[in-house]
Structure formats: C-alpha cells, structure tokens
Amino acid sequence: MDKVHYEVVEHDGGWAYKVGDVFSGRYASHDEAREAAERAAAEQRLPGATEDIEYQDKAGDWHEEVSQGKDRPETDVTG
C-alpha cells in the first residue's frame, strides 16, 4: 500500500503543506496549514468508486489502469 506524507512548512511569507515537491496554497498561520493538511490527509483515505484512470508519467508516457475505490493510501502529517 502506498503512503502519502503531508509536511507543514513555512512558505511564501506564511505556511503551507506539501506532498513531495508540491505545495498547497498559503495559510496565515501554522495551525491553519496543519488543519488543512489533516483534512486533506483524511480525505485521501476515504474509499471511493472503482474507476478507469489515465495518467502521464515523468517520461511523458500515458498509462491506463483500473483504480480500486477501496485501495486507499496510508497518510500522515508532520510539521
């Protein structure tokens, strides 16, 4: 099972959370950014419908696969 890590960091004169190299929007306080990261992490764990998906990898190649709605990642929040 995949794991998604949310990290709360100072960013752009305020606070944000990031996953990998991707930042959220800016929040005025650490607490606001932490709450938003906790909400996003919780939503990531919610089961959904099984769907066909398409995505492009870093090399620019397209892939098709079935995403099982119950196959949700583990998440955590730090910072």
Side-chain angles (χ1 to χ4, degrees), residues 45-66:
R45 294 187 303 266
L46 292 176
T50 297
E51 298 184 28
D52 294 329
I53 62 169
E54 295 181 33
Y55 64 94
Q56 188 174 24
D57 63 22
K58 290 180 182 180
D61 298 321
W62 284 92
H63 304 271
E64 295 179 8
E65 65 182 50
V66 175

Side-chain angles (χ1 to χ4, degrees), residues 2 4 8 16 20 25 28 30-31 33-35 39 41 48 53 55 59 61 65 70 74:
D2 292 330
V4 178
V8 178
H30 178 275
D31 288 345
R34 177 74 188 213
E35 289 172 11
R39 278 193 309 273
I53 62 169
Y55 64 94
D61 298 321
E65 65 182 50
K70 63 182 181 198
E74 293 179 24

Side-chain angles (χ1 to χ4, degrees), residues 5-75:
H5 177 70
Y6 292 77
E7 181 181 8
V8 178
V9 296
E10 289 186 70
H11 179 67
D12 198 23
W15 293 89
Y17 64 86
K18 69 178 200 167
V19 177
D21 294 331
V22 179
F23 290 88
S24 71
R26 183 186 166 282
Y27 294 89
S29 72
H30 178 275
D31 288 345
E32 288 176 317
R34 177 74 188 213
E35 289 172 11
E38 294 283 354
R39 278 193 309 273
E43 289 173 8
Q44 186 93 36
R45 294 187 303 266
L46 292 176
T50 297
E51 298 184 28
D52 294 329
I53 62 169
E54 295 181 33
Y55 64 94
Q56 188 174 24
D57 63 22
K58 290 180 182 180
D61 298 321
W62 284 92
H63 304 271
E64 295 179 8
E65 65 182 50
V66 175
S67 175
Q68 298 294 325
K70 63 182 181 198
D71 184 19
R72 306 308 305 155
E74 293 179 24
T75 62

